[in-house]
Amino acid sequence: MAPSLEAPETVEDVLANPLKQKPQLVAPEPEHCPGPDSEQAGVADSCAGCPNQKICASAPKGPDPDVPLITARLASVKHKILVLSGKGGVGKSTVTCQLARAFATNPDITVGVMDTDICGPSIPKMLGVESETIHISSAGWSPAWAMDNLAVMSIQFMLPNRDDAIIWRGPKKNGLIKQFLKDVEWGDLDFLLVDTPPGTSDEHLSVNTFLKESGIEGAVIVTTPQEVSLLDVRKEIDFCRKADIRVLGLIENMSLFVCPKCTHASEIFRATTGGGRALAQEMGIPFLGSVPLDPRIGMSCDYGESFFDSFPDSPACKALKSVVRTLADQIGLDPNEIMPADES
Amino acid sequence: MSLSKIKHIVLVLSGKGGVGKSSVTTQLALSLSLAGHSVGVLDVDLTGPSIPRMFAIEDAKVTQAPGGWLPITVHEADPSDGIGSLRVMSLGFLLPRRGDAVVWRGPKKTAMVRQFLSDVFWDELDYLLIDTPPGTSDEHISLAETLLQRARPEQFAGAVVVTTPQAVATADVRKELNFCSKTGIQVLGVVENMSGFVCPNCSECTNIFMNGGGEVMANDFGVPFLGRVPIDPQFLVLIEAGTRPTYPVGTEVNGRDISTPIATVKSQDDTPDTAPLVQKYRDCSLAPIFHTITADVIIAADIANQK
């Protein structure tokens, strides 16, 4: 029988199932495999006759021995924030970069950005460090520095050719994410922003499992105003609830577009169902603000420049600043220390 | 094997999320249907299925039949109007509540993709469009494996790759093109979506996400460039609210006047338009653009399948 859809694996089960060293299987996992890491491994009904049965049954089923190592490594990071969205292309990476840059405008704050989007890493390009490579020392892997106080880690740095496709299945991606957390020498950071790929799958589960013990401050969720996007974002909020991740707030990106010629404001991604604000209210989570669609944000991302430096007076910049202040407030920090209010 | 009666299978791919894979899939399906072909759409984006929303069939439930799962019919064929039938299958139909998260790891997704390819009872189709999630991971590997193994070479035409013009997006989509060449999937062409936005007030076209990046990328990789598709808020309204698109006088898209005659605008009032989506789509400014793109895809698919 194929995996039943009527009774899908409950999210709680998947989440409660920590990631461990994968047992060395002698044959590919069959379709109805309960998962070589699961409690059921080797003893489930579908395991009968599988060549891997013995291996799975005898595999260690305790907590992952690497989790304490990760916790020790990240002990010097004060706030760990995830940036999530169920939908792709809503601006997770853009928001991550802008948040990082906003935090980094204060020279006393050190920020780290970790890009867990393995198949489509955008962070290095947006922060202008695309050509960097990773240096490995005895202390661990050194991240690339986009600014004096802004460290970046991404799989892009490990590719010999920038257009290479990473054709990896889930377990391999989990392995790399673990390594990013375990082996990267982040040093003392005030914020570690974790950019994620769209969806609710391997990467999200892994980051959550590995960071659970060291404590995740919470998640910032990004959406665009139209219902097609809100639909997927609702799923992501559901995921956060079930995974016990605090939602720090929802950011509505690409909300209005102001025509540069006639200053007519158009709702390109029309919020037929009330947009991000209504969703935040419906789900009972804080709304951090709307960021208008400004072609210059995209442009500064393409060139890896700071939007804050290039266009400090634009409405989008002001909106972003207000988002940062609200976010700081949610984390319990003084907004004025993170992002001083505009003198006006 | 449920794929045996399908003439052409076309993947819609993109390395980047939110560039409009599902919109492009929807419009390709509508255009193919308008050209008189019978079309099936398979949505394998397991953690974020958007296709049910696109066709406004979110409440539909899939039924089991002896031949497999029956896809949802969006509209039946109408030979008098030259319209082919359109059927849809998505994971979205199988979820009990629409806000529920599907938290699946790779192996489970792989199994689901295989099952979607083998257990859906498509019957006879001219085209099967497969909408994919962003990236080059489990779903894509499984799709490529299963299709290359099980579909006949004269069936599996190749992939339409969608991108937006800005460099951040094309950087990811370049990876997808490399994925296609590594796995032996033929690229039927590149569509540059969200290429420019025409202000509904003054008809000024702004390149929100820059312009031309898709074409440059297609040239770099030596694959056909199918065309540029601008942002049309009216298309979104059509999808979300089912309102027939109307345009102010003087609106031009790609040099073609598509403004709605004033008489038609007035006659519409607020009465909900119950015509099928495919009929309303004819009035959308994007329809003629997709008509050309679809014609190119049909030719490319024919050539690919004859090899």
Side-chain angles (χ1 to χ4, degrees):
Chain A
M1 205 190 74
S4 157
L5 284 157
E6 278 67 39
E9 214 172 335
T10 61
V11 179
E12 288 79 1
D13 275 0
V14 184
L15 292 169
N17 169 16
L19 285 156
K20 272 158 290 189
Q21 205 72 45
K22 210 173 135 75
Q24 290 296 312
L25 303 185
V26 290
E29 296 159 35
E31 269 186 27
H32 325 303
C33 179
D37 321 304
S38 76
E39 289 293 323
Q40 285 284 301
V43 294
D45 291 344
S46 50
C47 293
C50 173
N52 296 322
Q53 190 180 8
K54 267 202 186 132
I55 302 167
C56 290
S58 59
K61 291 202 182 60
D64 190 322
D66 284 331
V67 168
L69 294 179
I70 292 173
T71 312
R73 176 69 91 177
L74 296 180
S76 55
V77 178
K78 285 191 200 135
H79 305 281
K80 302 171 198 77
I81 300 171
L82 307 183
V83 181
L84 299 174
S85 172
K87 179 93 188 125
V90 296
K92 282 177 298 303
S93 302
T94 309
V95 164
T96 310
C97 288
Q98 300 310 333
L99 287 180
R101 294 230 194 239
F103 288 141
T105 45
N106 184 338
D108 298 332
I109 293 176
T110 315
V111 191
V113 179
M114 190 178 119
D115 187 3
T116 62
D117 192 343
I118 308 228
C119 294
S122 315
I123 293 280
K125 189 171 199 88
M126 291 186 179
L127 289 176
V129 286
E130 214 186 357
S131 50
E132 295 282 333
T133 47
I134 293 174
H135 302 282
I136 299 178
S137 68
S138 56
W141 299 0
S142 323
W145 292 88
M147 286 161 70
D148 286 342
N149 53 351
L150 175 51
V152 190
M153 192 66 198
S154 165
I155 190 167
Q156 185 74 36
F157 303 143
M158 299 157 75
L159 299 180
N161 185 337
R162 80 160 76 156
D163 291 346
D164 281 351
I166 316 272
I167 311 173
W168 286 4
R169 288 190 185 271
K172 205 163 168 190
K173 294 197 278 192
N174 298 336
L176 185 80
I177 291 174
K178 187 193 263 188
Q179 223 157 4
F180 273 1
L181 291 167
K182 191 169 66 122
D183 295 341
V184 175
E185 175 61 29
W186 289 106
D188 291 332
L189 289 185
D190 294 283
F191 296 96
L192 178 64
L193 301 172
V194 182
D195 186 26
T196 60
T200 46
S201 191
D202 292 282
E203 295 89 341
H204 311 81
L205 288 166
S206 307
V207 169
N208 182 44
T209 320
F210 295 143
L211 287 182
K212 197 100 228 182
E213 225 159 278
S214 40
I216 301 174
E217 188 79 37
V220 172
I221 297 184
V222 187
T223 186
T224 49
Q226 80 275 36
E227 179 60 27
V228 175
S229 165
L230 299 180
L231 190 64
D232 290 350
V233 172
R234 226 173 250 127
K235 292 179 201 287
E236 197 76 35
I237 299 173
D238 184 47
F239 167 78
C240 287
R241 291 243 167 92
K242 287 175 175 161
D244 241 343
I245 302 172
R246 181 179 156 210
V247 177
L248 294 171
L250 182 73
I251 300 177
E252 183 183 273
N253 196 17
M254 311 193 194
S255 53
L256 275 179
F257 171 70
V258 179
C259 175
K261 190 175 160 205
C262 68
T263 67
H264 173 80
S266 326
E267 283 184 86
I268 293 190
F269 302 106
R270 189 113 150 230
T272 46
T273 53
R277 192 178 288 273
L279 179 72
Q281 215 160 33
E282 175 196 328
M283 306 293 279
I285 55 174
F287 184 67
L288 298 180
S290 307
V291 181
L293 183 53
D294 188 330
R296 291 173 299 188
I297 297 185
M299 224 164 5
S300 38
C301 284
D302 271 1
Y303 294 115
E305 288 166 358
S306 168
F307 180 67
F308 289 96
D309 293 349
S310 316
F311 305 100
D313 298 323
S314 63
C317 185
K318 288 191 180 129
L320 275 166
K321 281 185 176 163
S322 124
V323 166
V324 173
R325 289 172 58 86
T326 325
L327 178 64
D329 198 37
Q330 284 294 328
I331 307 174
L333 299 168
D334 180 9
N336 289 324
E337 250 174 55
I338 306 293
M339 183 112 241
D342 284 320
E343 302 98 40
S344 57
Chain B
M1 181 73 197
S2 73
L3 299 177
S4 55
K5 288 184 186 164
I6 299 169
K7 288 198 192 118
H8 306 282
I9 300 173
V10 177
L11 297 180
V12 180
L13 297 175
S14 173
K16 178 93 187 128
V19 295
K21 282 177 298 303
S22 298
S23 313
V24 167
T25 311
T26 307
Q27 298 189 65
L28 277 177
L30 291 172
S31 301
L32 282 167
S33 168
L34 282 173
H37 300 286
S38 54
V39 188
V41 177
L42 176 66
D43 179 11
V44 300
D45 191 344
L46 303 178
T47 51
S50 314
I51 290 287
R53 174 92 199 164
M54 290 282 179
F55 289 105
I57 43 174
E58 275 185 293
D59 298 328
K61 286 277 169 256
V62 172
T63 43
Q64 284 268 10
W69 290 330
L70 290 181
I72 307 295
T73 305
V74 177
H75 60 254
E76 289 292 353
D78 182 358
S80 63
D81 208 4
I83 293 176
S85 64
L86 177 55
R87 290 175 219 288
V88 175
M89 183 67 196
S90 163
L91 183 76
F93 299 138
L94 303 161
L95 297 176
R97 272 174 305 149
R98 68 184 208 136
D100 281 2
V102 177
V103 187
W104 285 1
R105 287 193 179 276
K108 183 131 195 207
K109 293 200 279 191
T110 305
M112 192 69 214
V113 167
R114 284 209 198 111
Q115 199 180 8
F116 260 17
L117 285 176
S118 60
D119 291 0
V120 179
F121 184 62
W122 288 110
D123 209 2
E124 283 189 25
L125 284 183
D126 292 328
Y127 290 90
L128 176 66
L129 304 176
I130 304 184
D131 186 22
T132 60
T136 50
S137 190
D138 297 278
E139 293 93 335
H140 308 81
I141 304 175
S142 319
L143 262 178
E145 268 178 6
T146 317
L147 286 176
L148 292 171
Q149 273 169 18
R150 295 207 208 161
R152 299 187 304 273
E154 70 269 23
Q155 266 187 319
F156 182 31
V160 171
V161 176
V162 186
T163 185
T164 51
Q166 79 272 38
V168 170
T170 54
D172 287 353
V173 179
R174 281 165 186 269
K175 292 176 194 288
E176 195 76 34
L177 289 171
N178 269 325
F179 168 83
C180 288
S181 66
K182 274 189 193 168
T183 47
I185 298 174
Q186 184 171 352
V187 178
L188 299 178
V190 173
V191 175
E192 184 177 301
N193 196 21
M194 305 196 193
S195 181
F197 168 72
V198 179
C199 175
N201 189 40
C202 67
S203 314
E204 166 89 357
C205 183
T206 313
N207 293 320
I208 298 184
F209 301 109
M210 329 269 281
N211 187 305
E215 190 163 9
V216 171
M217 181 183 72
N219 289 338
D220 283 355
F221 279 80
V223 294
F225 180 67
L226 293 172
R228 292 199 178 108
V229 182
I231 298 173
D232 181 1
Q234 290 290 325
F235 173 71
L236 261 135
V237 176
L238 167 67
I239 292 294
E240 299 247 326
T243 320
R244 194 180 281 267
T246 50
Y247 299 92
V249 176
T251 314
E252 277 188 14
V253 171
N254 289 6
R256 196 179 139 154
D257 187 7
I258 50 122
S259 49
T260 317
I262 294 168
T264 346
V265 177
K266 278 188 181 152
S267 69
Q268 280 201 338
D269 299 330
D270 285 338
T271 43
D273 198 336
T274 50
L277 177 65
V278 66
Q279 297 281 8
K280 294 185 208 161
Y281 180 65
R282 276 187 172 156
D283 288 346
C284 182
S285 72
L286 302 180
I289 299 170
F290 264 90
H291 181 76
T292 335
I293 292 178
T294 308
D296 286 345
V297 170
I298 291 175
I299 296 168
D302 275 339
I303 295 172
N305 287 351
Q306 271 163 15
K307 272 184 194 159

